[in-house]
């Protein structure tokens, strides 16, 4: 009798696992996928993750607990291997796939400032910024961002709009703005602001705002300091012009404690994927000081697989888990012999 019961239990268990395996294979996605330096990036499928609108999971913190990494890119090109401001397209694509695969939420600077002020922030936030407005930001970076379902903030030297083929033109900027990218001010003339008078600083910043409004149709409320230089007078000018925040070239993670006009960034240069991922793991990945969120790669792959084998789809989750555990204990009792007092 006990042998028959054991066989029945094993058959039921097999059916449950088989059903779940079928649904897992049928509906598998990139969640939990790993990107390694040996992966063929062209074969990584991002399309599935873009088929439906993703729901961003937020956590609530104190505003002074919110830390967000702002990555600072310039040109996305491999034209000059000696220029560390140029990020090779293959590396950039690999980095964007890594961010997407590890469930990061790319925020605009405006969204990030709101998070810093309110404490409501995505579990894994990141800001992707691009300085100067090089044309390869449109021809190379923009398609990769769209494919990956990510968005960036582009700081434009407005005197270069429609005047140089090396920089993005107004049509490119309009298209990007209409598709979720943030177009912001890098001043009109791009000179070191502290070298100019307060009037000259105000003029180049205001001119940048006006050109972006006229040619792109955006109301720019954020600034990237040319060469990262500014003074207290510069900050006063920004405040008077209605600028909400500004980014520097100082290294570090953005935090409201540094001041919204002095947000720090991580300078990006050519690097392998291990070095890129270490930017986040060294800062505990989530960078929100939330102790209940585990860093990347702290959850073993076996744990992910284990949780994925629970029956799902049309089966009610809780009852099936209860039956599953009952079956395990029953099989153990059947095979090992029931303890005294419980024998039939």
């Amino acid at each position: 009798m006990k042998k028959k019961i054991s066989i029945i239990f094993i058959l039921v268990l097999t059916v449950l696992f088989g059903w779940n395996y079928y649904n897992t294979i049928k509906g598998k996605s990139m969640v939990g996928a790993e990107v390694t330096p040996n992966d063929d990036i062209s074969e990584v499928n991002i399309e599935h993750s873009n088929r439906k609108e993703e729901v961003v999971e937020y956590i609530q913190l104190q505003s002074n607990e919110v830390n967000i990494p702002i990555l600072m890119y310039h040109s996305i090109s491999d034209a000059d291997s000696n220029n560390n401001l140029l990020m090779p397209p293959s590396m950039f694509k690999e980095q964007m796939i890594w961010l997407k695969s590890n469930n990061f939420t790319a925020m605009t600077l405006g969204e990030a400032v709101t998070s810093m002020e309110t404490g409501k922030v995505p579990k894994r936030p990141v800001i992707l910024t691009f300085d100067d407005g090089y044309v390869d930001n449109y021809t190379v970076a923009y398609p990769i961002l769209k494919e990956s379902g990510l968005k960036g903030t582009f700081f434009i030297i407005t005197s270069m709009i429609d005047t140089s083929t090396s920089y993005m033109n107004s049509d490119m900027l309009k298209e990007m703005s209409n598709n979720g990218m943030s177009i912001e001010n890098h001043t009109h003339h791009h000179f070191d602001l502290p070298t100019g008078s307060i009037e000259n600083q105000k003029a180049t910043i205001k001119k940048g705002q006006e050109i972006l409004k006229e040619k792109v149709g955006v109301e720019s409320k954020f600034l990237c300091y040319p060469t990262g230089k500014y003074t207290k007078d510069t900050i006063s000018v920004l405040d008077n012009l209605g600028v909400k925040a500004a980014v520097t070239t100082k290294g570090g993670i953005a935090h409201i404690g540094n001041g919204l006009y002095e947000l720090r960034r991580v300078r990006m240069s050519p690097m392998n994927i291990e070095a890129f991922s270490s930017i986040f793991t060294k800062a505990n990945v989530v960078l929100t000081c939330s102790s209940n969120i585990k860093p990347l790669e702290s959850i073993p792959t076996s744990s992910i697989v284990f949780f994925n084998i629970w029956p799902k789809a049309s089966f009610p989750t809780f009852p099936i888990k209860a039956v599953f555990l009952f079956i395990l204990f029953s099989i153990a009792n059947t095979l090992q012999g029931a303890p005294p007092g419980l024998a039939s």
Side-chain angles (χ1 to χ4, degrees), residues 54-94:
E54 296 184 7
V55 177
V56 177
E57 187 174 358
Y58 288 86
I59 55 176
Q60 184 64 52
L61 304 172
Q62 297 297 318
S63 61
N64 61 0
E65 294 178 319
V66 176
N67 298 274
I68 304 176
I70 304 178
L71 307 189
M72 176 176 55
Y73 293 96
H74 286 79
S75 176
I76 309 302
S77 169
D78 52 11
D80 183 359
S81 59
N82 295 318
N83 187 342
N84 64 10
L85 290 182
L86 274 60
M87 177 67 69
S90 59
M91 285 187 182
F92 179 74
K93 184 169 186 177
E94 186 177 30

Side-chain angles (χ1 to χ4, degrees), residues 69-317:
I70 304 178
L71 307 189
M72 176 176 55
Y73 293 96
H74 286 79
S75 176
I76 309 302
S77 169
D78 52 11
D80 183 359
S81 59
N82 295 318
N83 187 342
N84 64 10
L85 290 182
L86 274 60
M87 177 67 69
S90 59
M91 285 187 182
F92 179 74
K93 184 169 186 177
E94 186 177 30
Q95 292 165 7
M96 297 305 102
I97 290 176
W98 187 92
L99 290 173
K100 190 67 176 179
S101 299
N102 286 286
N103 303 318
F104 277 83
T105 299
M107 311 174 73
T108 65
L109 196 53
E111 292 168 342
V113 168
T114 299
S115 288
M116 292 180 191
E117 292 175 335
T118 64
K120 182 181 178 181
V121 62
K123 278 190 173 182
R124 288 181 174 173
V126 66
I127 305 172
L128 308 171
T129 64
F130 302 80
D131 292 6
D132 301 333
Y134 298 109
V135 71
D136 57 54
N137 287 186
Y138 174 81
T139 59
V140 181
Y142 173 51
I144 292 173
L145 291 173
K146 285 200 303 180
E147 180 186 13
S148 304
L150 301 171
K151 53 190 171 186
T153 297
F154 297 81
F155 292 106
I156 309 302
I157 303 172
T158 57
S159 63
M160 296 299 177
I161 300 176
D162 297 330
T163 62
S164 170
T165 56
S166 297
Y167 293 81
M168 292 184 283
N169 62 38
S170 54
D171 289 335
M172 296 173 182
L173 294 172
K174 286 177 183 177
E175 178 187 338
M176 293 168 64
S177 177
N178 291 335
N179 285 279
M181 305 298 148
S182 180
I183 309 301
E184 300 294 346
N185 190 7
H186 200 20
T187 75
H188 187 64
H189 294 295
H190 197 267
F191 64 83
D192 290 353
L193 294 175
T195 65
S197 66
I198 294 178
E199 290 74 18
N200 286 339
Q201 293 184 48
K202 182 177 180 179
T204 190
I205 296 169
K206 186 176 181 180
K207 184 69 171 178
Q209 292 176 319
E210 293 171 345
I211 293 295
L212 290 178
K213 175 64 175 176
E214 174 190 342
K215 293 192 174 184
V216 188
V218 299
E219 296 275 0
S220 177
K221 296 296 182 183
F222 303 95
L223 182 84
C224 172
Y225 299 113
T227 69
K229 298 176 181 178
Y230 61 97
T231 65
K232 291 182 179 179
D233 288 335
T234 309
I235 292 176
S236 296
V237 169
L238 296 183
D239 187 41
N240 291 332
L241 290 174
V243 176
K244 294 181 178 179
V247 295
T248 70
T249 56
K250 292 179 180 178
I253 305 301
H255 182 271
I256 198 169
N258 294 325
L260 291 178
Y261 292 120
E262 300 180 82
L263 296 176
R264 300 186 176 193
R265 295 189 290 174
V266 180
R267 183 181 291 273
M268 300 303 296
S269 58
M271 64 183 73
N272 58 34
I273 201 64
E274 288 86 2
F276 180 77
S277 64
S278 71
I279 294 171
F280 304 92
T281 54
K282 287 178 181 178
N284 199 27
V285 173
V286 195
L287 306 159
T288 55
C289 300
S290 179
S291 59
N292 63 337
I293 301 175
K294 295 183 179 180
L296 289 177
E297 301 173 358
S298 66
I299 303 177
T301 304
S302 58
S303 297
I304 298 174
V305 173
F306 176 74
F307 286 116
N308 280 338
I309 67 173
W310 285 115
K312 42 192 173 181
S314 61
F315 287 112
T317 305

